[in-house]
Amino acid sequence: MNTLPPFHLAVPVWNLEVCRVFYRDILKCKEGRSSDHWVDFNFFGHQLVIHHKPKEAETNHYVNKVDGQQVPVPHFGIILSWENFKTFSEHLKHKKVKFIIKPYIRFKGLAGEQATLFFYDPSGNALEFKAFKNSSHIFSK
């Protein structure tokens, strides 16, 4: 059986402690190694590292229109199972996460139909969580 190796992603954050709490307590990512300048997390089986970077002047968020929504670019996230998406989105609502794009079904009735949602972490990194109605359509045209 082929399994994908975990990916590694490092993102900048300007408040390490606030983001540590967000990823650990809100997103329920298990914390790994850390220093005064970075923290490792198990991000749904992948390695996410938040690195402290001093906050710069406000930057504009960029968006691209997808299915009528303004999708932030760049963004990262994970593909959940259809069943887990609803549970996870309800968890985020319970934790009062402010959505950029509230949970909804995108490309309804088409190949690639998916549930999706977007939000920012406390340092402005955009995250997307999604689930495909049919997981074999992840790369369908």
Side-chain angles (χ1 to χ4, degrees), residues 64-83:
N64 279 330
K65 197 167 192 174
V66 178
D67 193 40
Q69 299 285 335
Q70 297 296 320
V71 172
V73 177
H75 64 264
F76 69 95
I78 199 79
I79 299 172
L80 302 169
S81 71
W82 194 258
E83 299 77 29

Side-chain angles (χ1 to χ4, degrees), residues 43-83:
F43 186 77
F44 299 83
H46 303 281
Q47 184 188 40
L48 174 67
V49 186
I50 59 173
H51 284 269
H52 179 262
K53 177 183 178 192
K55 186 174 182 178
E56 297 172 359
E58 291 298 318
T59 58
N60 293 328
H61 290 286
Y62 295 95
V63 295
N64 279 330
K65 197 167 192 174
V66 178
D67 193 40
Q69 299 285 335
Q70 297 296 320
V71 172
V73 177
H75 64 264
F76 69 95
I78 199 79
I79 299 172
L80 302 169
S81 71
W82 194 258
E83 299 77 29

Side-chain angles (χ1 to χ4, degrees), residues 57-110:
E58 291 298 318
T59 58
N60 293 328
H61 290 286
Y62 295 95
V63 295
N64 279 330
K65 197 167 192 174
V66 178
D67 193 40
Q69 299 285 335
Q70 297 296 320
V71 172
V73 177
H75 64 264
F76 69 95
I78 199 79
I79 299 172
L80 302 169
S81 71
W82 194 258
E83 299 77 29
N84 287 341
F85 180 87
K86 181 167 177 46
T87 303
F88 186 70
S89 63
E90 290 301 321
H91 166 76
L92 294 175
K93 289 175 189 175
H94 176 73
K95 292 291 189 175
K96 304 210 182 317
V97 169
K98 182 180 175 187
F99 295 103
I100 304 165
I101 298 174
K102 293 179 181 178
Y104 85 106
I105 305 301
R106 182 186 326 185
F107 309 130
K108 196 166 184 126
L110 302 172

Side-chain angles (χ1 to χ4, degrees), residues 6-10 16-17 19-20 23-24 29-43 46-52:
F7 69 77
H8 164 82
L9 177 65
L16 196 62
E17 192 54 36
C19 287
R20 169 185 257 148
Y23 283 96
R24 184 188 64 214
C29 297
K30 185 177 178 190
E31 187 174 326
R33 294 167 294 155
S34 65
S35 81
D36 293 342
H37 296 96
W38 55 267
V39 182
D40 277 348
F41 288 99
N42 179 339
F43 186 77
H46 303 281
Q47 184 188 40
L48 174 67
V49 186
I50 59 173
H51 284 269
H52 179 262

